Amino acid sequence: MALRVTFVAAAGSSSALAERFEDDRPLDQAGWGEVQRVAHELLPLAAADLRYCSPAPRSRATGEGLGYAPLVQLALRDCDMGRWRGLTLGEAMAREPEAVDAWLADPRATPHGGESLLDFIRRVGGWLDTRPLEDGCGVVAVAEPSVIRAALVYVLKAPPETYWNIDVRSLSTTGVAGRPGRWSLRLDGMSAQPMRA
C-alpha cells in the first residue's frame, strides 16, 4: 500500500518584508495575489482524500484560498524558535552571533531555547508516518516552506545539514509517496510557472 502526499508551500508575504522565524503574520495583499494567479493550477488538488494545513496564518489562508478547506495539523507547525520567534535571521545574528553560528552548525543545537533542527525534522517525519494508509490515497498539505524542507530531509533520509540546501518557493508543489519509514520523492510533470524577480 502506498500513500501520495502533495505539499503546497504557503503563499509568501510582500518581498519588502523580511522572512521571520515562526512568522505569524496573515497573508497580505501580495500573497493573496499569488494565490489568485495560481489557483486554477492548484485547484485540482482539492480532490485529495485528505486535506491538511499548518496552523500558520499564511498556510491556513492559502489552503482556504485554494478551496481545500484544510484541517489544521499542529505537527506541521514551523520549528519552535524560542526567544528568536518573530525575528529575522539578521536580527538574531545581531543580538546573538555566537548562538546563531552554533545553531547553523549543529542540527542538535537549541541556543534559542526552542526546538532543534533535528527534532523539527523528526516531528514533521512523524506526521508523515502517521497518516492514514490506504492504497492510492491522496493527501494535500499546505505548509510553510521550512516544514516542506524538513519533510524532504526526512523522506530522503539525508543528513540534517541538507535542510539548508533545499529551496522551496511559495505555492510550489512537492510530492512524496510511500508508507511509514519508506518514502520517496515524487517528481510529477507540472506546467511551468513563470519566475518572478
Side-chain angles (χ1 to χ4, degrees), residues 48-74:
D49 301 294
L50 301 168
R51 297 169 307 282
Y52 301 113
C53 70
S54 86
R58 290 188 310 186
S59 295
R60 291 191 327 258
T62 299
E64 291 295 336
L66 293 172
Y68 299 167
L71 177 66
V72 172
Q73 298 285 281
L74 291 178

Side-chain angles (χ1 to χ4, degrees), residues 116-136:
S116 73
L117 178 62
L118 191 57
D119 287 340
F120 175 46
I121 292 166
R122 287 178 181 151
R123 171 170 46 86
V124 174
W127 178 86
L128 264 176
D129 284 345
T130 57
R131 293 309 87 214
L133 187 61
E134 293 180 29
D135 200 24

